[in-house]
C-alpha cells in the first residue's frame, strides 16, 4: 500500500559524530501482506548509526508493520533487512538485538517497574547483582528511581512510558524501535517526553527508529525523516 | 457529609425504588437466609453430637476432601488446556475443541457418571462387550473421572476470560527483550493467568463438593457428604441428621466462596487492556502446542464417547445382554411425558423467578440507596450453598406453617429459582455497568436522543440478559437432582428423578432414552436462545465496529 520516499528533510544536518557513512541498518525492498492488505510495499530505507530516524505517515500506511518487520515480529514476504551489513531477516526477534517501545507500552502488569526493566537481562541470564545495579542505573536515567517497586497500574501514563523506555534500553540494544510512543499522552507531557528521548539518544548514542504521524513531532526530534504514504 | 446529602437526595427522589428495595430484601431473607438459618438451627446439640460421633460421617468428610482435591486439580488442568487452545491463533482443531469443550455444561448432572458406567462399567460397551474385561468402576476412580469431565468446562470459561485479557503485545515485548517463545509464555502468560487458575480451582472445588448427581450414580460404597445427607433422610428418615451433614458441608464451601469473592475483587493487574489483533500473538512452541492439543483431543474423545453412549443405549434393546437395535425405549418415553411436562413447568417458573428477582436485585444494587450492599451480598450468597443444603433448607423451612408450600410445585420452583439467582444477578449487574458506560459514550455522541438510547442500548442488553439468565436456570432446573430429591413429594413425578430411579433399577436403556429426551430439550433451548440473541442484535454498539 505504501511507498517510502527517501529522506526529505534533514533537520539536523550534522548527524552525530558517531555516525559513519555505512548505514547501521538497511531495509531493502521490504514487502509484507497482512490479510488482504499489502501493508508494506517495496520499502527501502537506510538507517544511519547513532541518530533518530523518523517514519512519518498517515494512519494505516504501514509504519507499525515496518517497525515490526525490523524487530522480527513479522517475517517479510520479500526483501531483506541488514544490520551492520549482515542480513538478519531470518533471525527471530529474540536474537536481533533490537528492542521496541510499543504504543500502549506493553508493560508486564504482574511485574514492578524494576521487574519490567530487568526482564530482558534476566532472560539473558545476567547475574542477579548485575541486574540489580543495571536496573537502578536505567531507572535513574529516566528519573523513576522512586517508583522502582510500583506496579504498572500504580504508575501514570508518562511514568509507564518511561519504564517502557528503560526496559527497552536496559539490554543495550543495537537499535531502539519506538512505535508512536507518545500518542497516548497529553500534549504537555508529549513535548516533555520527546525532549527526554532526544536527551537519552544524545547520552547513549543509540540508533533509534521513531514512528509518528505528527509532522511537528517528527521534525523536532529527528536527524532524518522518512515519509510514508 | 456530601455522601449523606447524596444519599438522602436519592431517598427523596426515588421512593418507588426504596419500596422495591425493601421488597427485594424481604424476599431474599425469606428464601435465602431463612432456609439457611433453619438448617443451622434445627438440629439439637444431642442430635448434632450424635451425627458427629458416627465414624461414617468422618469417613464421608474425608472422602469429600480427597475427591475435591483430585477432581479440582484434574478439571483445572484440562480446563486450562482448553482455554489455552481456544485463545491461541495457531492451534489446530480450535473450533472443534471449543464446541466439545462446552458440551458437558449441557449434560444433566448425573449424565456423565451414567454414561461412563454404560461405556466402561462391568457391562460396559467398551470394557465388557468389546474388550471382554470385567472391571468395577464404582468408587472414587469412576467418580474422579466423571467429575473431571463434567466440571472442566467451568474452569475453561474462567481461565479463558483471563487469557483473553492478556495483551499479545506483552508477549511480543518479551520476545524483543530476548525471551524465547516458551520463556515468554512461562514468564508472561502463565503468571498473568495464575489468578484465573486459582479462581477456577475455587469455583470447581465448590462444585465438586456439592456434586450430588455423579456421586449418587457412580460413587457406590464410597460415602461422601452430599450423598450421605440424602442417605440420612431417605434411608434413615433422619432429617435433623441430614441438616447436620449439610451444615458440615457448608463450612468448606463458604470458605471457598469467600476466597473466590476476595480474589475477584483484587484482579487489577490482570486487566491489561483489550484484545490485540490475533495476528500479533507470538507462535506457540511446538511442544506446548501439541501437549495441549493431545490433552484436548483425549478429553474431547471421551466427551463424545459419553454422549454417544447415551444415544446408543437409548436405542439398544437391553444394555449388557441384548445389543439389538430398537426404537422401543424412545417410544416408551411417551409414558413419562407427564414427568417431562412437570419438570418443564418447574424449570420455566424457576427461570422466571431467577431472571425476575435477579434483574430487580441488580437494579436495586445499582441505585445509591441504603441496603444496596445487603441486596448484593444476599443475591450472590446462594452460590455458596450446595444443592443438598438448599434442598434440606427448603424442606425444613416450608414444610409447615407459617409458610407451608409442601406438596405444591412452588416449593421446588422457589428453591431452584433462588438457588440460581447469583448468575442472573451478576450478569445483569455487569450489563447495567455496561449501560452506564454506553450512556457516557452516547452523551458525547451528538444527536443521540433518549429514545434512541433506550432502543439501542437498554433493550438489547437487558433482553439478552433476561433471556440468558432465564434459560440457564431453566435448563439446570429441568434436570436438577440435588435439590429435588429432598423436596419431591410422593405424588409428584419429575423427569430427572424418574431417570435416577430407572438407573438404580438397572433399566439403563430406558434411562438413556429419557436422558436423550432431556438432552434434546436442552439443545433445542440453546438453539432457540442463539436464534433469539441473534435476532435481538449485538451486545453493544461498540462491538459492531
Ligand atoms: N493484523 C492485520 N490484519 C490485516 N490487516 C492489517 C493488520 N494489521 C494491520 N493491517 C493493515 O495494514 C495496514 C498498515 O498497518 P500499520 O499498523 O502498519 O499502519 P500504521 O501506519 O502503523 O497506522 P497507525 O498510525 O494507525 O498505527 C493498515 O491498512 C492496516 O489496516
Ligand atoms: Mg501503528
Amino acid at each position: 500500500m505504501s511507498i517510502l520516499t527517501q529522506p526529505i528533510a534533514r533537520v539536523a544536518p550534522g548527524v552525530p559524530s558517531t555516525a559513519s557513512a555505512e548505514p547501521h541498518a538497511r531495509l531493502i525492498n521490504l514487502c509484507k501482506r497482512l490479510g488482504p492488505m499489502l501493508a508494506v510495499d517495496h520499502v527501502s530505507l537506510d538507517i544511519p548509526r547513532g541518530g533518530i530516524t523518523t517514519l512519518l505517515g498517515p494512519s494505516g500506511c504501514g509504519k507499525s508493520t515496518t517497525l515490526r518487520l525490523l524487530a522480527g515480529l513479522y517475517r517479510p514476504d520479500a526483501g531483506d533487512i541488514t544490520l551492520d551489513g549482515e542480513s538478519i531477516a531470518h533471525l527471530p526477534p529474540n536474537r536481533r538485538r533490537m528492542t521496541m517501545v510499543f504504543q500502549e507500552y506493553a508493560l508486564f502488569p504482574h511485574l514492578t517497574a524494576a521487574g519490567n526493566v530487568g526482564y530482558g537481562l534476566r532472560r539473558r541470564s545476567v547475574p542477579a547483582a548485575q541486574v540489580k545495579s543495571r536496573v537502578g542505573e536505567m531507572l535513574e536515567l529516566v528519573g523513576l528511581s522512586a517508583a522502582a517497586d510500583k506496579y504498572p497500574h500504580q504508575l501514570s501514563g508518562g511514568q509507564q512510558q518511561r519504564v517502557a523506555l528503560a526496559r527497552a534500553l536496559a539490554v543495550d540494544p543495537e537499535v531502539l524501535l519506538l512505535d508512536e510512543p507518545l500518542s497516548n499522552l497529553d500534549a504537555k507531557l508529549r513535548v516533555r517526553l520527546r525532549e527526554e528521548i532526544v536527551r537519552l539518544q544524545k547520552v547513549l548514542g543509540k540508533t533509534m527508529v521513531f514512528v509518528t504521524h505528527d509532522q511537528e513531532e517528527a521534525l523536532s526530534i529527528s536527524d532524518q525523516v522518512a515519509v510514508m504514504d | 457529609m456530601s455522601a449523606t446529602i447524596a444519599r438522602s437526595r436519592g431517598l427523596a427522589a426515588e421512593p418507588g425504588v426504596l419500596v422495591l428495595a425493601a421488597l427485594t430484601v424481604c424476599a431474599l431473607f425469606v428464601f435465602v437466609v431463612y432456609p439457611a438459618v433453619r438448617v443451622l438451627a434445627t438440629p439439637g446439640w444431642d442430635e448434632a453430637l450424635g451425627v458427629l460421633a458416627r465414624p461414617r460421617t468422618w469417613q464421608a468428610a474425608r472422602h469429600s476432601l480427597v475427591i475435591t482435591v483430585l477432581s479440582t486439580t484434574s478439571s483445572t488442568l484440562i480446563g486450562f488446556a482448553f482455554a489455552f487452545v481456544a485463545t491461541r491463533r495457531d492451534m489446530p482443531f480450535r473450533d472443534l475443541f471449543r464446541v466439545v469443550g462446552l458440551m458437558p455444561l449441557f449434560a444433566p448432572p448425573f449424565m456423565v457418571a451414567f454414561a461412563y458406567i454404560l461405556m466402561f462399567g462391568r457391562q460396559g460397551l467398551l470394557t465388557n462387550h468389546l474388550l471382554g474385561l470385567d472391571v468395577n468402576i464404582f468408587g472414587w476412580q469412576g467418580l474422579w473421572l466423571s467429575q473431571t469431565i463434567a466440571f472442566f468446562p467451568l474452569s475453561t470459561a474462567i481461565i479463558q476470560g483471563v487469557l483473553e485479557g492478556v495483551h499479545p503485545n506483552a508477549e511480543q515485548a518479551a520476545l524483543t527483550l530476548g525471551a524465547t517463545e516458551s520463556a515468554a509464555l512461562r514468564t508472561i502468560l502463565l503468571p498473568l493467568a495464575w489468578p484465573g487458575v486459582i479462581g477456577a480451582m475455587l469455583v470447581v472445588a465448590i462444585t465438586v463438593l456439592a456434586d450430588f448427581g455423579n456421586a449418587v450414580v457412580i460413587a457406590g460404597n464410597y460415602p461422601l457428604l452430599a450423598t450421605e445427607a440424602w442417605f440420612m433422610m431417605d434411608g434413615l428418615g433422619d432429617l435433623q441428621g441430614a441438616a447436620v451433614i449439610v451444615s458440615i458441608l457448608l463450612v468448606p464451601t463458604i470458605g471457598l466462596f469467600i476466597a473466590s469473592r476476595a480474589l475477584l475483587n483484587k484482579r487489577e493487574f490482570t486487566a491489561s487492556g483489550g484484545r490485540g489483533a490475533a495476528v500479533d500473538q507470538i507462535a506457540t512452541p511446538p511442544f506446548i502446542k501439541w501437549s495441549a492439543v493431545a490433552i484436548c483431543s483425549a478429553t474431547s474423545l471421551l466427551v463424545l464417547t459419553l454422549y454417544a453412549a447415551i444415544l446408543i443405549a437409548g436405542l439398544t434393546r437391553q444394555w449388557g445382554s441384548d445389543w439389538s437395535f430398537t426404537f422401543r425405549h424412545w417410544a416408551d418415553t411417551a409414558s413419562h411425558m407427564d414427568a417431562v411436562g412437570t419438570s418443564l413447568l418447574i424449570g420455566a417458573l424457576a427461570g422466571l423467578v431467577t431472571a425476575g428477582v435477579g434483574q430487580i436485585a441488580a437494579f436495586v444494587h445499582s441505585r445509591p440507596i441504603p441496603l444496596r450492599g445487603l441486596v448484593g451480598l444476599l443475591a450472590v450468597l446462594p452460590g455458596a450453598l450446595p444443592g443438598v443444603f438448599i434442598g434440606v433448607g427448603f424442606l425444613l423451612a416450608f414444610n409447615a406453617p407459617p409458610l407451608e408450600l409442601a406438596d405444591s410445585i412452588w416449593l421446588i420452583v422457589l428453591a431452584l429459582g433462588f438457588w440460581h439467582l447469583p448468575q442472573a444477578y451478576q450478569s445483569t449487574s455487569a450489563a447495567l455497568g455496561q449501560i452506564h458506560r454506553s450512556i457516557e459514550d452516547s452523551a458525547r455522541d451528538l444527536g443521540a436522543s433518549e429514545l434512541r438510547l433506550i432502543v439501542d442500548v437498554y433493550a438489547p442488553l437487558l433482553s439478552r440478559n433476561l433471556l440468558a439468565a432465564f434459560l440457564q436456570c431453566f435448563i439446570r432446573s429441568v434436570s436438577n437432582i440435588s435439590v429435588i430429591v429432598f423436596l419431591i413429594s410422593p405424588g409428584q413425578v419429575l423427569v430427572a428423578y424418574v431417570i435416577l430411579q430407572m438407573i438404580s433399577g438397572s433399566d439403563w436403556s430406558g434411562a438413556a432414552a429419557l436422558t436423550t429426551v432431556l438432552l434434546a430439550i436442552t439443545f433445542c433451548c440453546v438453539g432457540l436462545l442463539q436464534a433469539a440473541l441473534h435476532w435481538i442484535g449485538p451486545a453493544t454498539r461498540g462491538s459492531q465496529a
Side-chain angles (χ1 to χ4, degrees):
Chain A
M1 211 27 160
S2 44
I3 293 177
L4 192 80
T5 48
Q6 275 293 318
I8 55 154
R10 256 171 205 280
V11 180
V15 177
S17 56
T18 47
S20 65
E22 183 72 13
H24 194 178
R26 298 186 78 164
L27 311 181
I28 303 159
N29 270 324
L30 276 184
C31 298
K32 178 67 184 178
R33 184 179 285 281
L34 285 177
M37 196 79 155
L38 201 51
V40 170
D41 184 8
H42 294 288
V43 165
S44 295
L45 174 68
D46 286 357
I47 296 161
R49 185 179 301 275
I52 299 183
T53 298
T54 297
L55 298 183
L56 174 66
S59 182
C61 72
K63 307 180 296 290
S64 296
T65 309
T66 307
L67 215 56
R68 285 161 175 276
L69 285 166
L70 257 171
L73 294 171
Y74 295 158
R75 291 293 160 93
D77 296 330
D80 201 6
I81 303 167
T82 65
L83 187 68
D84 290 324
E86 274 178 48
S87 172
I88 56 164
H90 60 285
L91 289 180
N94 50 358
R95 294 180 48 206
R96 287 206 181 182
R97 306 204 35 90
M98 297 195 194
T99 54
M100 182 140 154
V101 175
F102 291 80
Q103 186 168 349
E104 308 89 357
Y105 320 140
L107 293 181
F108 307 133
H110 61 300
L111 298 178
T112 61
N116 267 279
V117 176
Y119 181 85
L121 300 168
R122 285 196 302 276
R123 293 282 78 73
R124 288 170 169 72
S125 309
V126 175
Q130 256 167 281
V131 173
K132 196 162 188 287
S133 73
R134 175 79 177 158
V135 167
E137 200 179 300
M138 295 318 297
L139 283 174
E140 193 174 339
L141 196 65
V142 296
L144 274 184
S145 300
D149 295 325
K150 293 209 169 138
Y151 285 90
H153 68 89
Q154 300 168 313
L155 299 172
S156 70
Q159 288 174 322
Q160 291 185 27
Q161 189 55 282
R162 280 169 225 252
V163 174
L165 261 174
R167 180 178 75 177
L169 287 167
V171 294
D172 196 20
E174 289 277 333
V175 180
L176 180 66
L177 310 170
L178 303 116
D179 190 359
E180 307 205 32
L182 309 178
S183 60
N184 282 343
L185 305 174
D186 65 57
K188 219 190 240 162
L189 201 56
R190 199 152 35 196
V191 173
R192 236 191 37 230
L193 258 167
R194 83 185 185 207
E195 279 161 6
E196 194 150 331
I197 290 173
V198 172
R199 175 183 68 85
L200 282 173
Q201 197 279 326
K202 294 254 159 61
V203 172
L204 303 168
K206 279 269 169 278
T207 304
M208 295 188 182
V209 181
F210 187 101
V211 162
T212 180
H213 59 250
D214 180 340
Q215 189 168 343
E216 193 246 313
E217 190 169 282
L219 294 175
S220 71
I221 70 167
S222 320
D223 300 303
Q224 165 181 282
V225 178
V227 177
M228 294 181 80
D229 53 26
Chain B
M1 200 56 189
S2 63
T4 9
I5 290 168
R7 198 195 259 185
S8 55
R9 203 186 303 139
L11 258 168
E14 300 176 83
V17 175
L18 271 183
V19 173
L20 201 59
L23 287 176
T24 313
V25 171
C26 283
L28 290 170
F29 260 99
V30 173
F31 295 111
V32 177
V33 178
Y34 176 58
V37 169
R38 284 300 301 264
V39 174
L40 299 173
T42 297
W45 284 109
D46 291 349
E47 187 71 37
L49 290 175
V51 173
L52 290 175
R54 288 169 75 231
R56 212 177 134 94
T57 304
W58 293 108
Q59 194 189 18
R62 211 167 45 241
H63 289 169
S64 282
L65 186 70
V66 170
I67 203 72
T68 300
V69 171
L70 289 176
S71 297
T72 301
T73 310
S74 51
S75 297
T76 309
L77 268 174
I78 292 177
F80 189 94
F82 272 85
F84 186 71
V85 166
T87 51
R88 306 302 294 182
R89 81 189 143 89
D90 56 354
M91 288 288 180
F93 319 120
R94 249 171 96 195
D95 294 332
L96 176 76
F97 290 145
R98 257 189 227 206
V99 173
V100 178
L102 288 175
M103 283 174 62
L105 287 180
F106 303 112
F110 50 83
M111 188 193 110
V112 174
F114 174 41
Y116 188 64
I117 293 173
L118 289 174
M119 274 296 172
F120 302 102
R122 180 155 281 163
Q123 275 145 40
L125 178 60
L126 293 178
T127 40
N128 187 256
H129 188 60
L130 296 179
L131 298 173
L133 303 173
D134 183 17
V135 292
N136 182 10
I137 50 155
F138 290 95
W140 64 271
Q141 299 95 328
L143 182 61
W144 181 17
L145 214 125
S146 303
Q147 290 181 331
T148 303
I149 296 299
F151 302 139
F152 81 83
L154 297 176
S155 56
T156 303
I158 295 170
I159 297 171
Q160 191 173 331
V162 176
L163 290 182
E164 278 170 355
V166 177
H167 202 291
N169 273 359
E171 295 170 7
Q172 293 193 320
L175 285 202
T176 67
L177 290 166
T180 59
E181 271 107 359
S182 49
L185 293 183
R186 181 168 46 78
T187 57
I188 307 299
L189 193 69
L190 202 56
L192 286 176
W194 201 234
V197 173
I198 302 287
M201 292 186 88
L202 296 173
V203 168
V204 172
I206 293 176
T207 315
V208 171
L209 273 170
D211 177 35
F212 179 81
N214 291 304
V216 82
V217 169
I218 208 173
N221 290 326
Y222 190 75
L224 296 146
L225 286 174
T227 45
E228 193 63 11
W230 188 47
F231 174 71
M232 278 273 187
M233 199 198 87
D234 192 59
L236 308 177
D238 182 359
L239 184 54
Q240 302 216 355
V244 177
I245 302 272
V246 295
S247 301
I248 299 173
L249 184 57
L250 192 64
V251 175
T253 51
I254 283 278
L256 291 164
F257 180 75
I258 291 172
S260 71
R261 303 291 305 172
L263 189 76
L264 266 178
N265 289 339
K266 59 180 272 281
R267 283 221 349 222
E268 64 250 306
F269 65 57
T270 49
S272 60
R275 307 173 70 167
V279 71
D280 283 352
Q281 225 172 37
I282 66 172
T284 314
F287 174 72
I288 296 175
K289 175 159 139 183
W290 293 110
S291 306
V293 168
I295 294 176
C296 293
S297 302
T299 310
S300 298
L301 196 65
L302 201 52
V303 170
L304 293 173
T305 306
L306 296 179
Y307 267 88
I310 297 295
L311 199 63
I312 298 171
L315 293 167
T316 303
R317 194 167 293 274
Q318 176 80 56
W319 196 261
S321 52
D322 181 356
W323 298 97
S324 57
F325 176 89
T326 178
F327 274 123
R328 200 188 73 205
H329 303 294
W330 280 26
D332 283 351
T333 59
S335 65
H336 295 294
M337 279 309 142
D338 53 337
V340 174
T342 313
S343 289
L344 290 179
L345 178 63
I346 285 178
L349 292 173
L352 288 177
V353 169
T354 291
V357 179
Q359 299 246 310
I360 293 170
F363 173 72
V364 166
H365 182 70
S366 74
R367 314 307 303 182
I369 51 171
L371 295 184
R372 62 179 286 269
L374 186 65
V375 169
L377 177 71
L378 294 183
V380 296
L381 185 63
L385 308 178
V388 290
F389 186 94
I390 298 278
V392 173
F394 270 68
L395 192 56
L396 285 168
F398 304 113
N399 211 13
L403 279 163
E404 177 152 8
L405 293 169
D407 295 331
S408 90
I409 62 169
W410 287 103
L411 182 64
I412 298 177
V413 166
L414 289 167
L416 291 170
F418 276 87
W419 189 38
H420 289 111
L421 196 56
Q423 294 95 320
Y425 165 78
Q426 280 162 339
S427 64
T428 308
S429 267
L432 285 176
Q434 204 175 348
I435 285 175
H436 290 157
R437 273 194 301 283
S438 301
I439 290 173
E440 282 170 27
D441 290 349
S442 315
R444 277 185 241 117
D445 188 355
L446 251 68
S449 71
E450 189 91 21
L451 189 66
R452 251 286 301 279
L453 205 68
I454 291 170
V455 172
D456 279 1
V457 181
Y458 274 85
L461 260 175
L462 285 184
S463 46
R464 279 180 82 82
N465 220 53
L466 198 71
L467 255 179
F470 169 81
L471 261 167
Q472 196 181 9
C473 176
F474 171 77
I475 290 172
R476 282 164 189 250
S477 297
V478 168
S479 61
N480 174 271
I481 196 79
S482 59
V483 174
I484 66 155
V485 290
F486 290 97
L487 301 182
I488 197 164
S489 55
Q492 285 175 329
V493 281
L494 298 176
V495 63
Y497 196 70
V498 171
I499 295 174
L500 208 62
Q501 284 175 325
M502 289 169 123
I503 294 174
S504 63
S506 290
D507 180 8
W508 290 355
S509 292
L514 210 45
T515 306
T516 310
V517 172
L518 212 48
L519 284 172
I521 293 170
T522 303
F523 282 107
C524 281
C525 289
V526 174
L528 282 177
L529 174 70
Q530 291 298 336
L533 292 182
H534 188 76
W535 183 74
I536 289 169
T540 59
R541 294 194 299 157
S543 68
Q544 289 172 339

